[in-house]
Amino acid sequence: MATKKTTFTKSSSGMLPWLGLALILLIADQFTKVLILGYYRLGDATTITSFFNIVRVHNTGAAFSFLASAGGWQRWFFTAIGVAAALFIVWMLKSHPGQKLFSFALACILGGAVGNVIDRTLHGYVVDFLDFHYAGWHFPAFNIADAGISIGAVCLILDELLRVRRAKA
């Protein structure tokens, strides 16, 4: 019985730094979105460099505005997916706190997923504002949460490639 309690305590405390990272990402995401909502109207833009603008865009869909023109059901569908993903990630963090790259990736995805769930719940859309462009081509606008999710996804792929490489060695 004591072994299980020790394992639980060790596992729980091992995931705290990763939850802290997710919280920092979440706070940065929400803070920047509050600034955008406070200072920009929908469609407003500020040119920062020749390849980067700050804009205010509302995304009712998922990544790259997937399903943005659906009838409104996607708000709760993507919210449910985000909540389910967050719960699964917390469980994974609890199970693998010592795997640094893996846990870093999960923490980034967790912070981003929760940030976008908050937007969908409060506003019915996700606030995007980072607009990179080149020669008239614009990458879809995104936010800090999206960047966290993307960085986390890349790190998950890297972690798996490194794990497979170690297994072959």
Side-chain angles (χ1 to χ4, degrees):
M1 199 89 154
T3 304
K4 288 187 180 193
K5 182 173 175 125
T6 303
T7 303
F8 174 76
T9 304
K10 184 177 180 183
S11 178
S12 295
S13 64
M15 75 177 196
L16 287 179
W18 306 118
L19 293 177
L21 174 60
L23 181 62
I24 289 168
L25 183 62
L26 172 64
I27 290 168
D29 174 65
Q30 290 298 297
F31 178 72
T32 54
K33 290 173 179 174
V34 164
L35 290 176
I36 294 300
L37 290 171
Y39 290 101
Y40 285 75
R41 289 177 297 181
L42 183 61
D44 283 354
T46 301
T47 301
I48 305 299
T49 68
S50 62
F51 61 89
F52 175 64
N53 301 331
I54 299 291
V55 299
R56 179 173 167 181
V57 179
H58 297 170
N59 182 0
T60 57
F64 306 111
S65 296
F66 175 68
L67 292 177
S69 60
W73 60 266
Q74 74 276 22
R75 172 186 184 182
W76 301 112
F77 176 70
F78 291 131
T79 299
I81 287 174
V83 169
L87 293 172
F88 178 71
I89 289 168
V90 169
W91 177 76
M92 291 296 288
L93 283 172
K94 185 177 176 187
S95 302
H96 306 281
Q99 297 178 10
K100 289 186 168 89
L101 183 57
F102 181 71
S103 295
F104 173 81
L106 291 179
C108 288
I109 294 169
L110 177 62
V114 172
N116 284 341
V117 163
I118 289 171
D119 278 15
R120 289 185 200 288
T121 303
L122 292 179
H123 311 297
Y125 53 82
V126 173
V127 177
D128 289 331
F129 57 90
L130 301 171
D131 174 33
F132 287 89
H133 55 89
Y134 178 75
W137 177 83
H138 288 258
F139 188 79
F142 61 98
N143 57 46
I144 303 296
D146 298 334
I149 292 168
S150 298
I151 290 167
V154 168
C155 288
L156 276 180
I157 292 167
L158 178 60
D159 181 67
E160 183 61 16
L161 292 172
L162 293 172
R163 187 191 65 75
V164 168
R165 186 175 180 197
R166 282 189 303 268
K168 287 183 179 180

